[in-house]
């Protein structure tokens, strides 16, 4: 049996990283962009380690040149998520990748994404909300105008501010100005921490950026005082097991700390991160969790509820999604 149809809530999905390879190839052909080195012979994204992954990711996103490209991307991404039972998702949207960082056109990009999201909600029954995301290795100065984009469009659709990218560069606290600005605009906060930067990076995230969710956070397992802190303060981890295995952050599903973190009281959720890069889907994540840890319907219903509780959407949206979870 597969967990394809059980209703799911996904909190950690990179909008651009969810682009199906065929979609990126099609756009590249239309635009006459050369993507040598981005795909392997079978048409999958080609990378060996995290550094190569980031390079290929940025090369692929360079074909997204207009708001209409983002409209089409959004439909392609949501169609794929809906197929796997996702009823609510939050995606990381990076103004740095919209038309190569054309911040003057940010509202047009956002408008196009929302148009597609509205269509997907009507036709596929999936709800999307956005988290504007800065890129760590582009540095703290570049994060400031990204936070301004987020603040200017904060509301019932752009609900959060976050940070992805190379966590080994600098410290979380270098970005405090941008996170403070976003918080003051009413946005909820998350950052990638403890994927590569160790438990120390998670401490920085909660202390220096005061985030309420952490992207990945799996290296907390190396510091039990931190594990207990996360549990006690109800900090939610956006765990992406398939991504961690594919990028080598953990050696295997069996070695993944998600079950241990959950057993010690941490609120864990499950997401795909950049599904086509890691040849995963929400269904595959659930199937692997069943195979590896024996999780079943009770655990997966609990996951959906934990995720919905931690979602950054408003109360009306949360109530509506809760009903969708109950009905299926
Ligand atoms: N951007 C897209 N995927 C990412 C990941 N797994 N870690 C950091 N930044 C990312
Ligand atoms: Zn991520």
């Amino acid at each position: 049996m597969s967990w394809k149809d059980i209703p799911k809530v996904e909190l950690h999905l990179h909008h651009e990283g969810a682009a199906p390879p065929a979609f990126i190839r099609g756009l590249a052909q239309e635009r006459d962009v050369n993507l040598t080195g981005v795909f392997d012979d079978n048409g999958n994204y080609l990378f060996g380690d995290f550094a190569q992954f980031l390079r290929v990711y940025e090369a692929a996103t360079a074909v997204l040149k207009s708001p209409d490209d983002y409209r089409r991307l959004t439909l392609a991404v949501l169609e794929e998520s809906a197929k796997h039972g996702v009823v609510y998702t939050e995606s990381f949207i990076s103004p740095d990748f919209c038309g190569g960082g054309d911040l003057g056109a940010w509202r047009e990009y956002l408008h196009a994404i929302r148009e597609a999201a509205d269509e997907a909600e009507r036709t596929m029954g999936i709800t999307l909300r956005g988290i504007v995301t800065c890129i760590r290795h582009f540095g703290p100065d570049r994060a400031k105008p990204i936070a301004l984009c987020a603040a200017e469009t904060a509301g019932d659709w752009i609900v959060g501010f976050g940070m992805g990218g190379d966590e080994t560069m600098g410290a979380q606290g270098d970005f405090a100005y941008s996170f403070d600005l976003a918080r003051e605009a009413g946005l909820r906060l998350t950052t990638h921490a403890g994927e590569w930067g160790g438990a120390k990076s998670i401490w920085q995230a909660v202390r220096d950026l005061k985030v309420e969710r952490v992207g990945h956070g799996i290296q907390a397992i190396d510091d039990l005082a931190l594990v207990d802190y996360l549990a006690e303060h109800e900090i939610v981890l956006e765990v992406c097991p398939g991504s961690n295995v594919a990028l080598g952050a953990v050696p295997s599903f069996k070695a993944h700390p998600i079950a241990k973190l959950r057993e010690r009281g941490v609120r864990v959720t499950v997401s795909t991160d950049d599904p086509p890069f890691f040849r995963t889907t929400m269904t595959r994540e659930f199937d692997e969790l069943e195979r590896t840890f024996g999780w079943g319907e009770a655990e997966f219903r609990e996951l959906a509820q934990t995720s919905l509780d931690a979602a950054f959407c408003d109360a009306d949206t949360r109530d509506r999604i809760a009903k969708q979870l109950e009905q299926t």
Side-chain angles (χ1 to χ4, degrees), residues 12-14 53 57 92 163-165 192 195 215-216 238 240 243 272-274 278:
H12 189 117
L13 179 73
H14 295 265
F53 160 76
Y57 187 99
F92 296 123
M163 177 160 64
H192 284 58
E195 180 189 19
H216 299 283
E238 305 155 2
C240 308
S243 159
T272 56
D273 210 8
D274 309 284
F278 309 134

Side-chain angles (χ1 to χ4, degrees), residues 125-207:
I126 180 168
T127 298
L128 175 68
R129 294 292 181 264
I131 299 174
V132 172
T133 305
C134 64
I135 308 295
R136 173 115 169 214
H137 52 275
F138 293 174
D141 285 343
R142 179 60 181 173
K144 290 175 188 172
I146 304 301
L148 266 179
C149 286
E152 282 170 4
T153 50
D156 61 357
W157 203 88
I158 289 294
V159 292
F161 181 69
M163 177 160 64
D166 187 350
E167 191 197 340
T168 62
M169 308 254 302
Q172 301 277 2
D174 298 345
F175 297 82
Y177 178 96
S178 295
F179 277 75
D180 287 347
L181 192 150
R183 185 187 309 100
E184 282 161 21
L187 290 162
R188 316 270 299 269
L189 305 177
T190 175
T191 184
H192 284 58
E195 180 189 19
W196 307 105
K200 165 178 104 292
S201 173
I202 304 171
W203 279 120
Q204 290 173 3
V206 294
R207 288 182 171 153

Side-chain angles (χ1 to χ4, degrees), residues 142-317:
R142 179 60 181 173
K144 290 175 188 172
I146 304 301
L148 266 179
C149 286
E152 282 170 4
T153 50
D156 61 357
W157 203 88
I158 289 294
V159 292
F161 181 69
M163 177 160 64
D166 187 350
E167 191 197 340
T168 62
M169 308 254 302
Q172 301 277 2
D174 298 345
F175 297 82
Y177 178 96
S178 295
F179 277 75
D180 287 347
L181 192 150
R183 185 187 309 100
E184 282 161 21
L187 290 162
R188 316 270 299 269
L189 305 177
T190 175
T191 184
H192 284 58
E195 180 189 19
W196 307 105
K200 165 178 104 292
S201 173
I202 304 171
W203 279 120
Q204 290 173 3
V206 294
R207 288 182 171 153
D208 300 338
L209 301 185
K210 302 179 184 66
V211 296
E212 54 184 294
R213 291 190 343 216
V214 170
H216 299 283
I218 53 171
Q219 291 175 316
I221 202 66
D222 299 328
D223 178 346
L224 291 183
L226 173 60
V227 172
D228 292 343
Y229 180 94
L230 297 175
E232 190 189 330
H233 291 83
E234 302 184 2
I235 308 254
V236 172
L237 300 189
E238 305 155 2
V239 185
C240 308
S243 159
N244 299 146
V245 174
L247 286 174
V250 297
S252 64
F253 262 84
K254 204 155 175 264
H256 199 285
I258 186 169
K260 285 197 189 113
L261 289 164
R262 176 175 170 272
E263 278 156 27
R264 214 171 154 105
V266 178
R267 293 177 188 224
V268 299
T269 63
V270 168
S271 295
T272 56
D273 210 8
D274 309 284
F277 281 84
F278 309 134
R279 314 242 208 115
T280 192
T281 62
M282 282 295 273
T283 305
R284 178 179 167 237
E285 298 293 328
F286 279 35
D287 290 349
E288 291 285 358
L289 289 167
E290 179 189 31
R291 204 169 53 81
T292 312
F293 302 115
W295 289 9
E297 176 151 7
E299 285 82 1
F300 294 139
R301 297 255 173 211
E302 178 192 290
L303 270 184
Q305 192 56 53
T306 304
S307 306
L308 187 57
D309 291 343
F312 289 164
C313 60
D314 60 27
D316 286 351
T317 309

Side-chain angles (χ1 to χ4, degrees), residues 24-25 27-36 59 62-63 65:
I24 293 293
R25 263 196 307 278
L27 266 188
Q29 254 161 23
E30 284 174 33
R31 310 265 185 287
D32 215 14
V33 176
N34 182 352
L35 285 184
T36 305
V63 308
K65 290 192 187 296

Side-chain angles (χ1 to χ4, degrees), residues 19-63:
F23 175 84
I24 293 293
R25 263 196 307 278
L27 266 188
Q29 254 161 23
E30 284 174 33
R31 310 265 185 287
D32 215 14
V33 176
N34 182 352
L35 285 184
T36 305
V38 169
F39 300 108
D40 66 16
D41 292 345
N42 299 317
N44 295 308
Y45 290 113
L46 176 65
F47 55 91
D49 58 16
F50 183 59
Q52 285 170 11
F53 160 76
L54 288 178
R55 273 202 296 279
V56 164
Y57 187 99
E58 283 165 29
T61 59
V63 308

